[in-house]
């Protein structure tokens, strides 16, 4: 009777042989020597690549009896055929909009305001070409630029004109009610 074999047992790699190479080449449960006892003329060698535990584990699949000449075939599955009855249409989920995607409003003190497109950190700090608050290179309009983080660039608000006390005068004259004739300059010289 053999003693039980456990997976983490260091004696799992010990097998009998006349040499270490022979012990490894001929390892089996019959040559396994967890107690260091071998038949006369053999020595118990440890540290082989064999494992008595793996020899006791049942295989996951039953082996085939013999190889087959023909490949095994699986019957085809039946595809669903079209139906004669109409399908029920689903109502639309929402009204479409013609507006483009909205950009997330980022707080003024958010570090993402330091992410800008450029060719290098120095280039970005010199030119502040365009922001890329997502941190993705794809946000840069020039595909050869990279989105570079932690630059000295920051967005600036667009300047607004100061309000005036009184309204400004109109820049165009009031239009006429009827079309006017087009004046053609004369080519004759006056005396």
């Amino acid at each position: 009777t053999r003693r039980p074999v456990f997976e983490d047992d260091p004696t799992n790699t010990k097998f009998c042989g006349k040499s270490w190479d022979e012990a490894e080449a001929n390892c089996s449960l019959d040559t396994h020597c967890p107690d260091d006892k071998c038949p006369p003329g053999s020595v118990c060698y440890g540290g082989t690549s064999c494992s008595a535990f793996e020899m006791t584990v049942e295989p996951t699949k039953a082996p085939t009896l013999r190889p087959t000449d023909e490949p095994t075939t699986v019957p085809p599955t039946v595809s669903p055929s079209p139906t004669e009855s109409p399908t029920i249409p689903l109502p639309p989920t929402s009204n479409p909009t013609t507006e483009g995607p909205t950009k997330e409003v980022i707080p003024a003190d958010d570090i993402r305001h330091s992410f800008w497109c450029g060719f290098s950190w120095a280039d970005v700090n010199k030119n502040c070409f365009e922001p890329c608050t997502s941190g993705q290179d794809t946000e840069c309009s020039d595909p050869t630029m990279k989105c570079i983080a932690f630059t000295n660039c920051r967005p600036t608000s667009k300047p607004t004109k100061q309000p005036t006390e009184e309204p400004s005068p109109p820049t165009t004259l009031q239009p006429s009610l009827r079309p006017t004739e087009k004046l053609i300059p004369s080519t004759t010289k006056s005396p």
Side-chain angles (χ1 to χ4, degrees):
T1 307
R2 291 190 179 97
R3 71 179 193 154
V5 179
F6 299 100
E7 184 175 12
D8 58 350
D9 189 341
T11 64
N12 283 341
T13 62
K14 295 173 88 175
F15 293 90
C16 297
K18 292 182 181 170
S19 67
W20 186 88
D21 289 331
E22 183 183 284
E24 183 167 90
N26 299 320
C27 58
S28 69
L29 288 176
D30 291 333
T31 61
H32 182 229
C33 53
D35 53 3
D36 295 328
K37 294 181 182 171
C38 290
S42 293
V43 177
C44 186
Y45 292 96
T48 66
S49 62
C50 302
S51 168
F53 174 76
E54 290 177 13
M55 293 176 189
T56 61
V57 176
E58 291 186 32
T60 55
K61 286 185 174 181
T64 57
L65 297 176
R66 65 185 195 311
T68 59
D69 293 329
E70 297 292 321
T72 57
T73 58
V74 177
T77 58
V78 178
S79 298
S81 58
T83 61
E84 294 296 322
S85 60
T87 57
I88 300 169
L90 296 175
T93 55
S94 65
N95 293 330
T97 61
T98 56
E99 298 173 9
T102 57
K103 283 201 166 198
E104 173 189 5
V105 176
I106 300 172
D109 61 345
D110 194 301
I111 194 68
R112 292 176 289 175
H113 285 300
S114 73
F115 296 6
W116 286 72
C117 296
F119 299 104
S120 67
W121 193 81
D123 172 59
V124 171
N125 283 307
K126 180 180 177 187
N127 300 311
C128 296
F129 182 66
E130 70 180 320
C132 52
T133 55
S134 70
Q136 300 296 315
D137 296 341
T138 54
E139 196 174 348
C140 300
S141 60
D142 181 339
T144 61
M145 290 185 171
K146 301 287 181 203
C147 184
I148 299 173
F150 312 117
T151 67
N152 295 327
C153 300
R154 295 295 181 274
T156 57
S157 57
K158 295 179 181 173
T160 59
K161 293 181 180 179
Q162 291 292 336
T164 58
E165 294 287 326
E166 304 213 5
S168 345
T171 56
T172 60
L173 300 174
Q174 190 161 354
S176 61
L177 298 175
R178 294 182 290 165
T180 57
E181 292 180 23
K182 184 175 179 184
L183 297 175
I184 301 172
S186 73
T187 56
T188 59
K189 294 183 182 179
S190 46

